[in-house]
Amino acid sequence: MVNKKRLAFVVFISYLSIGNLLAQTPDCTLLNNPADGDTDVPITTGIQWTAVANATNYILTIATSPGGTDILDKWPVGSTLTYTPPSGLLPNTTYYVTVTPNNNSGNASNCPEERFTTGDSSGIPGCAVLVDPINGATGVPPDTDISWAARPEAVGYFLSVGTSPGSTDVLTVTDVGDTLLYDLPGNLPLFQQIYLTITPYNADGEMPGCTEMIFRTRGENSPMCTEIINPADGDQFVSVTANITWIRDFGASGYRMTIEEKSVGGVKILDNFDVGNGTNFKPPNFMGNTRYFVTITPYNDLGAAANCQPVSFTTGAAPPPPECTSLIGPKDGSGNVLIATDLLWNQVTGATGYILSVGTVSGGTDIADSIDVAGANTFDLVNDLPENSRIYVTVTPYNNNGLAEGCTEESFTTEGSETITEFSPVPKFFTPNNDGFNDLWIVASPSELPVVKVWIFNRFGQLLKQMESNMGWDGNFNGKPLASDSYWYRLEMSDGSETVGFFVLKR
């Protein structure tokens, strides 16, 4: 006989466990194709990452320089695990990618920036990307035309359309020629998921396995109102950084959001603002201990839902800004620092960026004036520092809750022209591939200025190894080989001075 009390207890505990999981911000993810450090990546590659258990959305930043945002800047891509830039990847280019999982509790913290480098251009054209309707769109008119982004190396495109994965019941595989727009022979079925594949081709052939794209058609009317499910109506102590989540209306092509403060008709934080066709949106941070009214209005090309009613909730106290950080290199108080040194500091949990000021007097900004370095924890100064000078540095972490408070100014002294700096105890690179050459990274200790201690860091400021001079590092951390990348070092000399720089691990 089943013990009902015991069964109920187990179910209750399971419910609590699931609830606790959903209340947590997700962990970070990592690229799986291309992997961090990959080289000679085909320009037709789609960027893929590993799923995170409690993530409902992924936010993508892609750039061609460390810490940059020139391709994508914190772009929400939904729950998909892959992204292909509409114009494809450039040949012989290094890409820097950060994937940040997200759920209703917020973003994953301090997700690493990863990188890969493409190879030469291939003669076969890469896959094309939908422009209208966009991949994943809903509420699409049944008489829509199909358009896609051009592949410069293509001379034509094959198109197929169906109502189930891999099917071609709407349009069999058709050579539509060198065009970027196709008018389907008839209307698409109503309230139907549509599966579509576009395959560019040229004289060298066609790219096999182009990803099937999807969208959903609308019905014959404008959409109905939907329901906001988080925060729920009447909730209290809601986070000031809360996302707004609602139930999808498959007849809607998008949603508009209105947020009013303290009362209906009060100060409008958002006024009928178009939040796209997702079901989750992060509005500007709320004020603490304040009541808000939020309205979601679905719409499509036939019009908007009528008389949608707001939900109301009350926020709790605002969370604090991040903690302060400290210099790793040059370390506070160090002397005889190279004038060409870069700055390196500890990363702070919860910080999304850092503000950097550098000057030759306390509080000064004559070298760097409140530069926002985003999420990087290193900075390469444009010019060499002045010789024989005290340099003052302030690094202030920040996040959506504001700037860190009361951060201490740190300082160090640069080398003079008479300082012996011509020795080269630090190898610029090493290749730990067990071929008998350069398998270890070893810092020599010259007699004129002996090296006492050596520290090795990754580019996120994590300490990987501490050792004495003339000891070798094999490129492993916790028994596992690290990826090809640049790594930082800090050397302590016998006279108390310090030197900071970087070297390259090549595999």
Side-chain angles (χ1 to χ4, degrees):
M1 180 179 295
V2 176
N3 187 323
K4 294 184 178 180
K5 291 184 177 180
R6 179 178 177 82
L7 178 60
F9 176 76
V10 170
V11 171
F12 176 69
I13 293 299
S14 299
Y15 174 79
L16 288 180
S17 299
I18 294 171
N20 288 337
L21 177 64
L22 294 176
Q24 297 173 352
T25 56
D27 294 329
C28 291
T29 185
L30 294 174
L31 295 179
N32 56 31
N33 186 39
D36 186 29
D38 276 359
T39 58
D40 202 27
V41 173
I43 63 172
T44 55
T45 299
I47 300 169
Q48 299 177 11
W49 52 92
T50 304
V52 175
N54 59 337
T56 58
N57 185 34
Y58 296 90
I59 299 170
L60 194 58
T61 297
I62 305 177
T64 53
S65 60
T69 58
D70 52 302
I71 296 177
L72 282 184
D73 184 9
K74 298 178 181 177
W75 185 262
V77 295
S79 59
T80 183
L81 300 176
T82 183
Y83 178 81
T84 301
S87 58
L89 300 172
L90 296 173
N92 301 311
T93 302
T94 298
Y95 286 87
Y96 298 82
V97 181
T98 303
V99 185
T100 304
N102 166 275
N103 63 19
N104 292 337
S105 297
N107 294 341
S109 299
N110 299 321
C111 292
E113 182 180 72
E114 302 178 88
R115 68 180 184 179
F116 62 86
T117 303
T118 56
D120 293 332
S121 177
S122 169
I124 297 176
C127 297
V129 176
L130 271 176
V131 172
D132 186 32
I134 62 172
N135 189 30
T138 59
V140 174
D143 60 350
T144 191
D145 295 339
I146 308 297
S147 65
W148 54 92
R151 297 296 309 200
E153 66 275 33
V155 299
Y157 302 86
F158 293 113
L159 177 65
S160 65
V161 185
T163 56
S164 61
S167 69
T168 58
D169 53 307
V170 175
L171 181 72
T172 58
V173 178
T174 301
D175 186 345
V176 298
D178 188 15
T179 182
L180 302 177
L181 179 70
Y182 186 75
D183 184 2
L184 293 166
N187 285 353
L188 295 166
L190 301 178
F191 279 117
Q192 180 66 56
Q193 191 92 315
I194 303 298
Y195 298 82
L196 178 147
T197 301
I198 305 167
T199 305
Y201 67 87
N202 62 16
D204 293 322
E206 61 186 70
M207 176 58 62
C210 285
T211 302
E212 193 171 53
M213 292 166 279
I214 60 173
F215 59 87
R216 183 180 286 271
T217 57
R218 61 160 169 80
E220 296 179 324
N221 303 300
S222 57
M224 306 290 288
C225 292
T226 186
E227 178 184 358
I228 295 175
I229 55 177
N230 191 31
D233 193 26
D235 275 359
Q236 297 183 345
F237 306 108
V238 172
S239 171
V240 297
T241 61
N243 290 0
I244 307 298
T245 304
W246 56 94
I247 297 173
R248 181 179 298 280
D249 183 318
F250 288 109
S253 58
Y255 304 86
R256 296 189 178 97
M257 180 180 291
T258 297
I259 302 179
E260 298 164 296
E261 188 177 292
K262 297 183 180 179
S263 64
V264 175
V267 175
K268 282 186 169 59
I269 309 302
L270 294 178
D271 187 5
N272 213 29
F273 182 76
D274 194 325
V275 295
N277 75 333
T279 58
N280 184 287
F281 182 74
K282 173 65 177 72
N285 284 357
F286 299 109
M287 293 176 57
N289 301 311
T290 303
R291 190 178 186 190
Y292 288 91
F293 295 79
V294 180
T295 305
I296 286 288
T297 303
Y299 69 87
N300 61 23
D301 61 306
L302 299 177
N307 301 317
C308 295
Q309 298 302 304
V311 300
S312 68
F313 56 83
T314 303
T315 57
E323 299 292 329
C324 292
T325 186
S326 58
L327 287 174
I328 298 173
K331 197 173 181 180
D332 184 34
S334 59
N336 200 31
V337 174
L338 296 176
I339 60 174
T341 190
D342 294 343
L343 302 179
L344 172 68
W345 55 90
N346 288 300
Q347 283 199 322
V348 174
T349 300
T352 57
Y354 303 87
I355 303 295
L356 175 67
S357 291
V358 184
T360 53
V361 296
S362 180
T365 57
D366 50 305
I367 296 175
D369 185 6
S370 300
I371 296 176
D372 187 341
V373 300
N377 69 320
T378 65
F379 188 75
D380 182 4
L381 295 164
V382 176
N383 300 309
D384 287 350
L385 295 168
E387 295 181 343
N388 286 323
S389 299
R390 172 69 69 177
I391 305 299
Y392 297 85
V393 180
T394 302
V395 183
T396 306
Y398 68 85
N399 61 19
N400 291 335
N401 305 318
L403 296 170
E405 299 176 356
C407 293
T408 302
E409 182 181 66
E410 299 178 272
S411 65
F412 56 86
T413 303
T414 57
E415 62 184 348
S417 57
E418 73 283 357
T419 303
I420 300 173
T421 60
E422 295 304 317
F423 69 89
S424 300
V426 182
K428 294 297 184 183
F429 70 94
F430 77 119
T431 56
N433 55 9
N434 297 318
D435 64 354
F437 299 95
N438 294 323
D439 286 332
L440 297 176
W441 186 78
I442 303 175
V443 175
S445 184
S447 58
E448 63 268 27
L449 192 59
V451 177
V452 180
K453 293 287 185 183
V454 180
W455 292 267
I456 301 171
F457 306 87
N458 64 15
R459 56 194 172 95
F460 305 107
Q462 179 186 12
L463 178 63
L464 304 176
K465 184 74 173 178
Q466 179 179 337
M467 60 187 185
E468 298 178 357
S469 63
N470 298 313
M471 293 177 62
W473 182 51
D474 60 4
N476 292 345
F477 180 65
N478 287 337
K480 296 182 179 179
L482 295 176
S484 298
D485 204 345
S486 296
Y487 293 85
W488 287 83
Y489 65 83
R490 175 159 59 90
L491 309 182
E492 180 183 331
M493 310 302 183
S494 59
D495 64 354
S497 63
E498 293 187 344
T499 298
V500 176
F502 68 92
F503 61 97
V504 175
L505 186 161
K506 297 181 179 179
R507 293 196 183 274

